[in-house]
Amino acid sequence: MFFSKQITQWYTAHKRDLPWRNTKEAYPIWLSEIMLQQTRVDQGLPYFLKFLEHFPKVENLAEATEEKVLKLWQGLGYYSRARNLHATAKYITENLNGEFPNTKDSLLQLKGVGDYTSSAIASFAFNEATPVVDGNVNRVLSRYFGIDLPVNESAGQNLIKEKAIEVLDKKNPALHNQAIMEFGALQCKPKNPYCHICPLQSKCVAYQQGMVERLPLKIKKTKVQTRFLNYFVLIDPNQNTIVQQRKGKGIWENLFEFPVAEFSKKPKLIEVEKEMRSIFPIEISSTEKANLKPVIHLLSHRKLIADFYILKIQSLQKNTFQKNQKLLNLSELETVPVPVLMANFIKEYLL
């Protein structure tokens, strides 16, 4: 048990004091694990504390409106996590009397809970002897065992899981799993890891064979698509405007934004104006482009290039807009959940 002993001793001396580590209650552990998917700890921590303040129990989260949940989530990205979080809270409250499932297999049945998250909750909350495998664990085990198979393909991931089971301390899996994740985050970092003071140094294949910088191996699969967004911000003399809710399963589902024309290629101004007239068959007093340079917003699989147009009109009436649209005063824009791209524009240009 050399591996587990070394990393748990390291963890005891170097671990960060994080609130979800000071409990065995499944709800905050689940909340933290969902939030920290694709998110750094320092970014996710304020959101975790904010959610617990508004929703101290899973029942409180279940009773909230989706709009409130999305608003509190605003800026954290990957909004499907928030929608799944809300749906799962409702399911646990309404079907399981507010009690979380207590095994990995049963946790896997929850919406938004995959292999890693189910293992983490089962281990941390219920001390089930199941290994967790996230990006940090992939890195530590790839280097320690010298695994040169891509960790984002099935063969590499299967071998990582075999090794994770092999080194797991089955008597104290919660401590072991916390330790290996923290070790990967702070010690065995992606770049410039602290190999010279690493307690695993003597048995680490990557260190012994000079492969630390090239492990773990990953094959790039995601093709980044570029989309051109042209937003139309209607404003009447009473400072009213229109926002609309995004529907479908694309990015920012159920978040609000200004009416938009999307293009796969950079459009000519005449194309933008044509879309504007088709969206708004009303008289427009003046049109002004708000941003001098296009606003670039990067997502994991999208490059968004946005322009914003201020359209002055005489008045906005109920019959001006469609079902998924909402009439708001500019002062109310901060009350609805919007993408970060939109929030930054509102803050800089409208408030």
Side-chain angles (χ1 to χ4, degrees):
M1 297 299 289
F2 169 84
F3 181 93
S4 188
K5 181 180 178 182
Q6 294 298 322
I7 62 166
T8 52
Q9 286 179 349
W10 176 92
Y11 178 72
T12 302
H14 299 95
K15 67 178 178 179
R16 291 168 290 182
D17 184 17
L18 300 172
W20 49 83
R21 290 179 176 162
N22 301 322
T23 181
K24 287 288 186 181
E25 189 182 346
Y27 171 61
I29 292 172
W30 164 71
L31 187 61
S32 71
E33 290 300 335
I34 298 298
M35 285 187 166
L36 294 179
Q37 293 170 7
Q38 308 291 330
T39 301
R40 301 185 316 273
V41 168
D42 59 343
Q43 183 187 8
L45 179 56
Y47 286 87
F48 173 82
L49 296 174
K50 185 167 58 176
F51 261 70
L52 275 190
E53 180 185 346
H54 284 84
F55 315 123
K57 299 292 181 183
V58 68
E59 293 85 354
N60 305 125
L61 178 55
E63 291 165 2
T65 64
E66 183 181 85
E67 193 168 306
K68 181 175 181 180
V69 173
L70 289 174
K71 183 62 184 175
L72 289 172
W73 193 275
Q74 183 176 302
L76 201 53
Y78 298 94
Y79 289 90
S80 60
R81 294 180 296 169
R83 292 188 292 271
N84 290 339
L85 196 78
H86 194 213
T88 296
K90 287 183 176 181
Y91 176 79
I92 289 171
T93 299
E94 295 167 6
N95 299 85
L96 303 178
N97 297 316
E99 296 293 329
F100 275 77
N102 60 7
T103 66
K104 174 182 176 175
D105 289 343
S106 56
L107 285 160
L108 269 171
Q109 307 309 309
L110 300 178
K111 194 170 185 178
V113 174
D115 184 74
Y116 160 75
T117 306
S118 60
S119 296
I121 300 168
S123 168
F124 303 150
F126 306 110
N127 212 38
E128 182 176 338
T130 180
V132 297
V133 178
D134 68 351
N136 289 318
V137 176
N138 276 331
R139 186 164 55 257
V140 173
L141 294 181
S142 291
R143 288 171 173 172
Y144 184 75
F145 288 104
I147 295 171
D148 59 359
L149 295 174
V151 296
N152 56 341
E153 291 194 335
S154 57
Q157 195 56 214
N158 289 339
L159 183 54
I160 290 285
K161 287 179 180 177
E162 286 179 21
K163 296 302 182 182
I165 294 171
E166 180 183 316
V167 298
L168 177 66
D169 180 356
K170 296 178 178 61
K171 292 182 179 178
N172 201 344
L175 175 62
H176 172 95
N177 286 331
Q178 290 281 17
I180 189 172
M181 292 167 65
E182 189 78 333
F183 191 83
L186 302 183
Q187 174 76 21
C188 194
K189 302 184 299 177
K191 293 183 179 179
N192 303 315
Y194 299 116
C195 294
H196 60 293
I197 54 170
C198 178
L200 301 178
Q201 184 191 98
S202 65
K203 294 191 178 183
C204 176
V205 173
Y207 179 77
Q208 298 296 333
Q209 297 184 7
M211 301 190 299
V212 171
E213 293 300 328
R214 72 180 189 89
L215 294 179
L217 291 181
K218 273 189 178 182
I219 292 178
K220 290 186 177 180
K221 295 181 177 181
T222 304
K223 185 179 179 181
V224 176
Q225 295 181 336
T226 300
R227 301 289 294 175
F228 295 85
L229 308 179
N230 294 268
Y231 287 103
F232 305 116
V233 186
L234 275 73
I235 302 177
D236 72 7
N238 295 317
Q239 300 295 286
N240 292 320
T241 190
I242 287 177
V243 292
Q244 63 188 26
Q245 195 171 32
R246 288 185 74 100
K247 296 298 181 182
K249 294 296 179 184
I251 61 169
W252 302 334
E253 181 187 348
N254 291 349
L255 298 187
F256 286 87
E257 64 183 356
F258 296 113
V260 61
E262 297 190 25
F263 298 87
S264 57
K265 296 180 180 178
K266 185 177 181 179
K268 297 177 181 178
L269 182 58
I270 191 171
E271 294 176 290
V272 176
E273 290 175 342
K274 183 179 178 181
E275 283 295 316
M276 181 178 69
R277 285 193 295 271
S278 69
I279 294 173
F280 303 117
I282 56 178
E283 187 175 343
I284 298 169
S285 303
S286 66
T287 303
E288 179 186 354
K289 190 175 178 185
N291 54 302
L292 295 176
K293 294 181 179 179
V295 178
I296 298 176
H297 188 70
L298 300 177
L299 303 173
S300 61
H301 58 301
R302 293 277 195 281
K303 179 180 181 181
L304 305 178
I305 301 176
D307 284 304
F308 293 84
Y309 296 87
I310 305 291
L311 312 182
K312 295 291 181 68
I313 63 170
Q314 289 304 311
S315 67
L316 283 171
Q317 304 295 333
K318 288 281 184 183
N319 58 6
T320 309
F321 50 93
Q322 302 163 6
K323 252 185 182 179
N324 69 323
Q325 295 177 333
K326 183 182 285 195
L327 180 67
L328 291 177
N329 191 271
L330 294 182
S331 63
E332 299 175 301
L333 285 173
E334 288 189 304
T335 66
V336 294
V338 298
V340 169
L341 171 67
M342 196 70 48
N344 291 341
F345 171 79
I346 291 169
K347 184 176 179 182
E348 184 173 354
Y349 290 95
L350 300 179
L351 297 181

